[in-house]
Structures are given as structure tokens and as C-alpha cells.
Amino acid sequence: MTTAADDALIAILRENARASTAEIARQLGVSRTTVQSRMERLERRGVIIGYTLRLSEEHTGALIRAHVLLTILPKLIRQVEAGLRAIPAVRALHSVSGNVDMIAVIEARSVGELDELADCIGALDGVERTSTSVILSTRIDR
């Protein structure tokens, strides 16, 4: 369980995980040592498990991103997951409730490459059906 202070720190780190402790301390109105000790505590507790890279819109703007909704044969879910994990263009995979079993977020450099990627995913053993929706724009990305 996190506190309101933890949540405020996490929100700042989500925007910029490379922000200095001094910068974070200014935003939160606390000392640098308070920020550092809170971050260390969150890391020890496993709340923060790592820091990641976010690419600029200039770099990623040339990529075509899409959601692939997958219906999977129940006994082959793990096999399909392993197959998707082996495809570098699969940027995220979500297990969901509802009419589909999983949603994969994929990236490609062209429509042709996106089409080939969708076909490759649909051909995985255990994939019963797919539906692909191209992402036109991202309105919020935290």
C-alpha cells in the first residue's frame, strides 16, 4: 500500500524517471534526503521495480502502432504468449476480460510490415481469431 506522498513521487517519476532528486524535492516541497529515502523504500518494497526509456515523438512518430485483439484456444494461451514474446515488434501484451483473451500492442515501420506482422501473429498455433486496430494518435501517455 502506498501513501499520498508515495503516489505524488510516483507521478513525477512516471513523467520523467530521470528527474534529479533535487528537482523532485522542489516539486514535492520536501528535502532531497526525504525523496531519496522514499525512493529507496519503494524499491525495497518492490513498488518501484525499475526505470525505463521513453522515446521522443519525433523518433516514434514514424512508426505505425496498432492493437491486435486475440481470441486464443484456452489450452494454448501460454504457447501463444511465448510466441508473442519472441516477436520484438510486440511492445506490450495484456490479458483482458470480455470477448477477447489478449490485446497486443505492436509497432511497425510501414503498413506492409504491419500487415505481415498481423499475419504472423494470426498464424501462431493457438490463435483462433485476431482483429487489428491502427492507433491514429495517443492523447495521454503516462
Side-chain angles (χ1 to χ4, degrees):
M1 183 125 224
T2 57
T3 65
D6 294 335
D7 293 341
L9 172 60
I10 290 168
I12 292 169
L13 290 171
R14 281 183 185 224
E15 289 296 319
N16 181 6
R18 292 194 61 188
S20 69
T21 53
E23 182 182 329
I24 295 168
R26 274 193 300 280
Q27 290 182 44
L28 295 175
V30 298
S31 72
R32 288 175 44 213
T33 56
T34 299
V35 169
Q36 188 62 43
S37 65
R38 188 172 299 279
M39 287 174 65
E40 289 170 359
R41 186 171 39 83
L42 290 169
E43 290 169 0
R44 272 194 315 273
R45 288 180 41 215
V47 174
I48 295 175
I49 59 170
Y51 300 86
T52 189
L53 172 71
R54 289 178 61 190
L55 299 173
S56 71
E57 178 63 33
E58 179 180 304
H59 176 75
T60 60
L63 297 174
I64 300 167
R65 297 176 66 219
H67 290 159
V68 180
L69 285 65
L70 296 112
T71 304
I72 302 167
L73 296 170
K75 292 184 179 181
L76 297 177
I77 286 179
R78 297 258 187 253
Q79 183 177 329
V80 171
E81 180 182 340
L84 292 168
R85 190 177 299 277
I87 301 171
V90 175
R91 305 301 304 144
L93 180 62
H94 307 280
S95 178
V96 297
S97 63
N99 296 334
V100 298
D101 300 304
M102 293 183 171
I103 299 175
V105 179
I106 62 174
E107 291 179 341
R109 296 188 189 283
S110 68
V111 173
E113 186 179 310
L114 183 72
D115 188 37
E116 287 177 24
L117 183 56
D119 287 347
C120 178
I121 290 170
L124 290 172
D125 284 339
V127 173
E128 222 174 41
R129 185 173 40 260
T130 66
S131 175
T132 303
S133 297
V134 173
I135 298 171
L136 300 176
S137 69
T138 299
R139 304 294 174 104
I140 298 173
D141 184 13
R142 295 187 179 142

